[in-house]
Coordinates of all heavy atoms in Angstrom, one line a residue:
E436 N 16.8 8.8 38.5 CA 15.7 8.4 39.3 C 15.7 6.9 39.6 O 15.2 6.5 40.7 CB 14.4 8.7 38.5 CG 14.1 10.2 38.4 CD 14.8 10.9 37.3 OE1 15.4 10.2 36.5 OE2 14.7 12.1 37.2
F437 N 16.2 6.1 38.7 CA 16.2 4.6 39.0 C 17.5 4.1 39.6 O 17.7 2.9 39.6 CB 15.8 3.9 37.7 CG 14.4 4.2 37.3 CD1 14.1 5.3 36.4 CD2 13.3 3.5 37.8 CE1 12.8 5.6 36.0 CE2 12.0 3.8 37.4 CZ 11.8 4.9 36.5
D438 N 18.4 5.0 40.0 CA 19.5 4.6 40.8 C 20.3 3.5 40.2 O 20.5 3.4 39.0 CB 19.1 4.3 42.2 CG 20.2 4.5 43.2 OD1 21.4 4.7 42.8 OD2 19.9 4.4 44.4
N439 N 20.8 2.6 41.0 CA 21.7 1.4 40.6 C 22.9 1.9 39.9 O 23.5 1.2 39.1 CB 20.9 0.5 39.7 CG 19.8 -0.3 40.5 OD1 20.1 -1.4 41.1 ND2 18.7 0.3 40.7
E440 N 23.4 3.1 40.2 CA 24.5 3.7 39.4 C 25.8 2.9 39.6 O 26.7 3.0 38.8 CB 24.7 5.1 39.9 CG 24.9 5.3 41.3 CD 24.8 6.8 41.8 OE1 23.9 7.5 41.3 OE2 25.7 7.2 42.6
N441 N 25.9 2.2 40.7 CA 27.2 1.5 41.0 C 27.4 0.3 40.1 O 28.4 -0.3 40.0 CB 27.2 1.1 42.4 CG 27.4 2.2 43.4 OD1 28.0 3.3 43.0 ND2 26.8 2.1 44.6
A442 N 26.3 -0.1 39.3 CA 26.4 -1.2 38.4 C 26.8 -0.9 37.0 O 27.2 -1.7 36.2 CB 25.1 -2.0 38.4
F443 N 26.8 0.4 36.7 CA 27.0 0.8 35.3 C 28.4 0.6 34.8 O 28.7 0.1 33.7 CB 26.7 2.3 35.1 CG 25.3 2.7 35.4 CD1 24.9 4.0 35.9 CD2 24.2 1.7 35.3 CE1 23.6 4.3 36.1 CE2 22.9 2.1 35.6 CZ 22.6 3.3 36.0
E444 N 29.4 0.8 35.7 CA 30.8 0.7 35.3 C 31.1 -0.8 34.9 O 31.7 -1.1 33.9 CB 31.8 1.2 36.3 CG 31.7 2.7 36.6 CD 32.6 3.1 37.7 OE1 33.8 2.8 37.7 OE2 32.0 3.7 38.7
R445 N 30.7 -1.7 35.8 CA 30.9 -3.1 35.6 C 30.2 -3.6 34.3 O 30.8 -4.3 33.5 CB 30.5 -3.9 36.8 CG 30.6 -5.4 36.6 CD 32.0 -5.9 36.5 NE 32.2 -7.3 36.3 CZ 32.2 -8.2 37.4 NH1 32.1 -7.8 38.6 NH2 32.3 -9.5 37.1
L446 N 29.0 -3.1 34.1 CA 28.3 -3.6 32.9 C 28.9 -3.0 31.7 O 29.0 -3.7 30.6 CB 26.8 -3.1 33.1 CG 25.8 -3.6 32.0 CD1 25.9 -5.1 32.0 CD2 24.4 -3.2 32.3
Y447 N 29.5 -1.8 31.8 CA 30.2 -1.2 30.6 C 31.4 -2.1 30.3 O 31.6 -2.4 29.1 CB 30.6 0.2 30.9 CG 31.4 0.9 29.8 CD1 30.7 1.6 28.9 CD2 32.8 0.7 29.7 CE1 31.4 2.2 27.8 CE2 33.5 1.3 28.6 CZ 32.8 2.1 27.7 OH 33.4 2.7 26.7
Q448 N 32.2 -2.5 31.3 CA 33.3 -3.3 31.0 C 33.0 -4.7 30.4 O 33.7 -5.3 29.6 CB 34.1 -3.5 32.3 CG 34.8 -2.3 32.8 CD 35.8 -1.7 31.9 OE1 36.5 -2.4 31.2 NE2 35.8 -0.4 31.8
D449 N 31.8 -5.2 30.8 CA 31.4 -6.5 30.4 C 30.7 -6.5 29.0 O 30.3 -7.5 28.5 CB 30.4 -7.2 31.4 CG 31.1 -7.5 32.7 OD1 32.3 -7.6 32.7 OD2 30.4 -7.7 33.7
S450 N 30.4 -5.3 28.5 CA 29.7 -5.2 27.2 C 30.7 -4.8 26.1 O 31.6 -4.0 26.3 CB 28.6 -4.1 27.4 OG 27.7 -4.4 28.4
S451 N 30.4 -5.3 24.9 CA 31.2 -4.9 23.8 C 30.4 -4.2 22.7 O 31.0 -3.6 21.8 CB 31.8 -6.2 23.2 OG 30.9 -7.1 22.8
E452 N 29.1 -4.3 22.7 CA 28.2 -3.7 21.7 C 28.2 -2.2 21.8 O 27.9 -1.7 22.9 CB 26.8 -4.2 21.7 CG 26.7 -5.7 21.8 CD 26.4 -6.2 23.2 OE1 27.1 -5.8 24.1 OE2 25.5 -7.1 23.3
P453 N 28.6 -1.5 20.7 CA 28.6 0.0 20.8 C 27.2 0.6 21.2 O 27.2 1.6 22.0 CB 28.9 0.4 19.4 CG 29.7 -0.8 18.8 CD 29.1 -2.0 19.4
A454 N 26.1 0.0 20.8 CA 24.8 0.6 21.1 C 24.5 0.5 22.6 O 23.9 1.4 23.3 CB 23.7 -0.1 20.4
V455 N 25.0 -0.6 23.2 CA 24.8 -0.8 24.7 C 25.7 0.1 25.4 O 25.3 0.8 26.4 CB 25.1 -2.3 25.0 CG1 25.1 -2.5 26.6 CG2 24.0 -3.2 24.4
R456 N 27.0 0.2 25.0 CA 27.9 1.1 25.7 C 27.5 2.6 25.6 O 27.7 3.3 26.5 CB 29.3 0.9 25.1 CG 30.0 -0.3 25.5 CD 31.5 -0.3 25.1 NE 32.2 -1.2 26.0 CZ 33.5 -1.3 26.1 NH1 34.3 -0.5 25.3 NH2 34.1 -2.1 26.9
R457 N 26.8 3.0 24.5 CA 26.4 4.3 24.4 C 25.4 4.6 25.5 O 25.4 5.7 26.1 CB 25.7 4.6 23.0 CG 25.0 5.9 22.9 CD 24.4 6.0 21.5 NE 23.3 6.9 21.4 CZ 23.3 8.2 20.9 NH1 24.5 8.7 20.5 NH2 22.2 8.9 20.8
E458 N 24.4 3.7 25.7 CA 23.4 4.0 26.8 C 24.1 4.0 28.1 O 23.7 4.8 29.0 CB 22.4 2.9 26.7 CG 21.6 2.8 25.4 CD 20.9 4.1 25.0 OE1 20.2 4.6 25.8 OE2 21.2 4.5 23.9
L459 N 25.1 3.2 28.3 CA 25.8 3.2 29.6 C 26.6 4.4 29.8 O 26.7 4.9 31.0 CB 26.6 1.9 29.7 CG 25.9 0.6 29.9 CD1 26.8 -0.6 29.7 CD2 25.2 0.5 31.3
V460 N 27.2 4.9 28.8 CA 27.9 6.2 28.9 C 27.0 7.3 29.3 O 27.3 8.1 30.2 CB 28.6 6.6 27.5 CG1 29.0 8.0 27.5 CG2 29.8 5.6 27.3
L461 N 25.8 7.4 28.7 CA 24.8 8.4 29.1 C 24.4 8.2 30.5 O 24.2 9.2 31.3 CB 23.6 8.4 28.1 CG 23.9 8.8 26.7 CD1 22.7 8.5 25.8 CD2 24.3 10.3 26.6
A462 N 24.2 6.9 30.9 CA 23.7 6.6 32.3 C 24.8 7.0 33.3 O 24.5 7.6 34.4 CB 23.4 5.2 32.4
L463 N 26.1 6.8 33.0 CA 27.2 7.2 33.8 C 27.2 8.7 34.0 O 27.5 9.2 35.1 CB 28.5 6.6 33.3 CG 28.7 5.1 33.5 CD1 29.8 4.6 32.6 CD2 29.2 4.9 35.0
G464 N 27.0 9.4 32.9 CA 26.9 10.9 33.0 C 25.8 11.3 33.9 O 26.0 12.2 34.8
R465 N 24.6 10.8 33.8 CA 23.5 11.1 34.6 C 23.7 10.8 36.1 O 23.2 11.4 37.0 CB 22.2 10.4 34.1 CG 21.7 10.9 32.8 CD 21.4 12.3 32.7 NE 20.9 12.7 31.4 CZ 20.7 14.0 31.1 NH1 21.0 15.0 31.9 NH2 20.2 14.3 29.9
A466 N 24.6 9.7 36.3 CA 24.9 9.3 37.7 C 26.1 10.1 38.2 O 26.5 9.9 39.4 CB 25.3 7.8 37.7
D467 N 26.5 11.1 37.5 CA 27.6 12.1 38.0 C 28.9 11.3 38.3 O 29.6 11.7 39.2 CB 27.1 12.8 39.2 CG 27.8 14.1 39.4 OD1 28.4 14.6 38.5 OD2 27.8 14.6 40.6
K468 N 29.3 10.4 37.4 CA 30.5 9.7 37.6 C 31.7 10.4 36.9 O 32.3 9.8 36.0 CB 30.4 8.2 37.1 CG 29.2 7.4 37.7 CD 29.6 7.1 39.2 CE 28.6 6.1 39.8 NZ 28.9 5.7 41.2
G469 N 32.0 11.6 37.4 CA 33.0 12.4 36.7 C 34.3 11.7 36.7 O 35.1 11.8 35.7
Y470 N 34.7 11.0 37.7 CA 36.0 10.4 37.8 C 36.2 9.3 36.7 O 37.2 9.1 36.1 CB 36.2 9.7 39.2 CG 35.3 8.5 39.4 CD1 35.6 7.2 39.0 CD2 34.1 8.7 40.1 CE1 34.8 6.2 39.3 CE2 33.2 7.7 40.3 CZ 33.6 6.4 39.9 OH 32.7 5.4 40.1
W471 N 35.1 8.6 36.4 CA 35.1 7.6 35.3 C 35.4 8.3 34.0 O 36.2 7.8 33.2 CB 33.8 6.9 35.2 CG 33.8 5.7 34.3 CD1 34.2 4.4 34.5 CD2 33.4 5.8 32.9 NE1 34.0 3.7 33.3 CE2 33.5 4.5 32.3 CE3 32.8 6.8 32.1 CZ2 33.2 4.2 31.0 CZ3 32.5 6.5 30.7 CH2 32.7 5.2 30.2
F472 N 34.8 9.4 33.7 CA 35.0 10.1 32.4 C 36.4 10.6 32.3 O 37.0 10.6 31.2 CB 34.0 11.2 32.2 CG 32.6 10.7 31.9 CD1 31.7 10.4 32.9 CD2 32.2 10.4 30.6 CE1 30.4 9.9 32.6 CE2 31.0 9.9 30.3 CZ 30.1 9.7 31.3
Q473 N 36.9 11.1 33.4 CA 38.3 11.6 33.4 C 39.3 10.5 33.1 O 40.3 10.7 32.4 CB 38.7 12.3 34.7 CG 37.9 13.7 34.8 CD 38.3 14.3 36.1 OE1 37.9 13.9 37.2 NE2 39.0 15.4 36.0
A474 N 39.0 9.3 33.6 CA 39.9 8.2 33.4 C 39.8 7.6 32.0 O 40.7 7.0 31.4 CB 39.5 7.0 34.4
Q475 N 38.6 7.8 31.3 CA 38.4 7.3 30.0 C 38.6 8.3 28.8 O 38.6 7.9 27.7 CB 36.9 6.8 29.9 CG 36.5 5.7 30.9 CD 37.1 4.4 30.5 OE1 37.3 4.0 29.4 NE2 37.4 3.6 31.5
R476 N 38.9 9.5 29.2 CA 38.9 10.6 28.2 C 39.9 10.3 27.0 O 39.7 10.8 25.9 CB 39.1 11.9 28.8 CG 40.5 12.2 29.4 CD 40.5 13.5 30.1 NE 41.9 13.9 30.5 CZ 42.4 13.4 31.7 NH1 41.7 12.6 32.4 NH2 43.6 13.8 32.0
R477 N 41.0 9.7 27.3 CA 42.0 9.5 26.3 C 41.6 8.4 25.3 O 42.2 8.2 24.2 CB 43.3 9.1 26.9 CG 44.0 10.2 27.7 CD 45.3 9.9 28.3 NE 46.0 11.0 29.0 CZ 45.7 11.3 30.2 NH1 44.9 10.5 30.9 NH2 46.3 12.3 30.8
L478 N 40.5 7.7 25.6 CA 40.0 6.6 24.7 C 39.0 7.1 23.7 O 38.4 6.3 22.9 CB 39.5 5.4 25.5 CG 40.4 4.8 26.5 CD1 39.7 3.7 27.3 CD2 41.6 4.2 25.8
I479 N 38.7 8.4 23.7 CA 37.5 8.9 22.9 C 37.7 8.6 21.5 O 36.7 8.3 20.8 CB 37.3 10.4 23.2 CG1 36.0 10.8 22.5 CG2 38.5 11.2 22.7 CD1 35.5 12.2 22.9
D480 N 38.9 8.6 20.9 CA 39.1 8.4 19.5 C 38.8 6.9 19.1 O 38.8 6.6 17.9 CB 40.5 8.8 19.1 CG 40.7 10.3 19.1 OD1 39.7 11.0 19.0 OD2 41.8 10.7 19.3
Q481 N 38.6 6.0 20.1 CA 38.4 4.6 19.8 C 36.9 4.4 19.7 O 36.5 3.2 19.3 CB 39.0 3.7 20.9 CG 40.5 3.9 21.0 CD 41.1 3.0 22.1 OE1 40.4 2.0 22.6 NE2 42.3 3.3 22.6

Side-chain angles (χ1 to χ4, degrees):
E436 290 84 5
F437 294 92
D438 200 353
N439 289 270
E440 58 191 41
N441 293 327
F443 298 154
E444 294 175 57
R445 176 65 181 273
L446 191 52
Y447 180 91
Q448 292 300 324
D449 293 342
S450 302
S451 59
E452 308 100 316
V455 173
R456 284 193 156 190
R457 170 179 156 103
E458 301 304 306
L459 288 167
V460 166
L461 293 171
L463 284 160
R465 295 299 183 189
D467 200 22
K468 300 291 187 178
Y470 65 87
W471 184 87
F472 286 92
Q473 289 179 289
Q475 300 285 328
R476 68 186 186 277
R477 292 183 178 85
L478 302 177
I479 188 169
D480 289 334
Q481 299 178 19

